[in-house]
Amino acid sequence: MRPQPAIRIRTAVRRIFIATVAALLAALAVTTAGHPVFAQSGLTLVNHDRDFVERKKSGGFVARPVFDRQVDAIHYGIRHPETGDWIAPMYRVHSSGKAVEDGWEYSWSYPAVSEQPELSREEAFLLVIVAVHGGDAHTFNVVIPIYQPTSLWDRILAALDPGRWARAFAAWIVEAVHGALCGIVERISGADVCRKG
């Protein structure tokens, strides 16, 4: 017995809906993967939930992590966030830190020497910080953000960026397709499958 056309349509709609949901979940996983990760035992990165890496117009950056106690040594390296390739090897920070209200702040600029590779200001990177305390090494992964202009004129030009408009249009298309698929599935199945909340 051959399947009826309505069953075939439901099956096709269900497959498209599942593929769309999987794509949206994958996109969500990629965007949340950029959040800082901090060590759970021993040493704590106090300002892990704040943007402590300031990107410069030249592509470099200034990092100002704050730890809950003074550390013996800090090393850092830079990796590509998608491939994991090392862009810059590990460097040692030559700073004894300074006591602040909620811990010890260490700061350094990149690049500090001419041998360090340049970073594109339009790409985000992964900053790997290894802090040594009491003989134990604690690793923290932090996002080096894309450079965001600060002057009023730069902000106006950034708002008119075609790439930003294209991303907004693509998000609108995804929402429209999702709404249309929900409507089709609800009409075919008679169930309220896409109800929010």
Side-chain angles (χ1 to χ4, degrees):
M1 184 168 143
R2 295 183 60 180
Q4 296 178 357
I7 294 173
R8 277 190 256 146
I9 292 172
R10 282 188 214 144
T11 304
V13 169
R14 196 173 294 135
R15 286 182 183 158
I16 292 171
F17 185 74
I18 290 170
T20 304
V21 169
L24 291 173
L25 288 175
L28 179 63
V30 168
T31 57
T32 58
H35 292 288
V37 177
F38 55 97
Q40 298 296 320
S41 62
L43 191 65
T44 301
L45 183 57
V46 175
N47 60 345
H48 68 88
D49 57 345
R50 299 188 289 270
D51 295 330
F52 63 85
V53 180
E54 177 189 349
R55 198 70 188 268
K56 299 295 185 182
K57 189 173 186 177
S58 62
F61 63 88
V62 176
R64 295 183 185 90
V66 176
F67 298 101
D68 64 338
R69 61 194 80 153
Q70 193 169 20
V71 298
D72 303 324
I74 294 180
H75 302 272
Y76 72 92
I78 301 169
R79 299 183 85 162
H80 193 279
E82 293 175 9
T83 64
D85 294 338
W86 287 96
I87 294 169
M90 297 300 280
Y91 296 98
R92 183 179 175 130
V93 175
H94 296 284
S95 170
S96 57
K98 67 176 181 179
V100 293
E101 184 178 330
D102 48 0
W104 285 82
E105 180 182 278
Y106 297 84
S107 67
W108 67 89
S109 295
Y110 180 94
V113 292
S114 59
E115 293 81 24
Q116 291 176 317
E118 291 183 12
L119 302 176
S120 167
R121 67 183 185 172
E122 297 178 8
E123 285 186 82
F125 296 94
L126 186 65
L127 176 63
V128 180
I129 302 171
V130 178
V132 180
H133 175 73
D136 294 327
H138 304 271
T139 304
F140 305 88
N141 297 302
V142 182
V143 172
I144 301 170
I146 294 171
Y147 171 72
Q148 295 293 328
T150 55
S151 73
L152 179 61
W153 182 246
D154 287 335
R155 288 182 184 174
I156 291 170
L157 289 176
L160 298 174
D161 176 33
R164 187 175 285 186
W165 284 85
R167 286 190 295 274
F169 183 71
W172 179 81
I173 292 292
V174 168
E175 288 177 14
V177 169
H178 177 261
L181 287 175
C182 281
I184 292 169
V185 169
E186 287 176 357
R187 270 191 234 119
I188 291 172
S189 67
D192 193 11
V193 295
C194 298
R195 182 180 52 204
K196 293 182 180 178

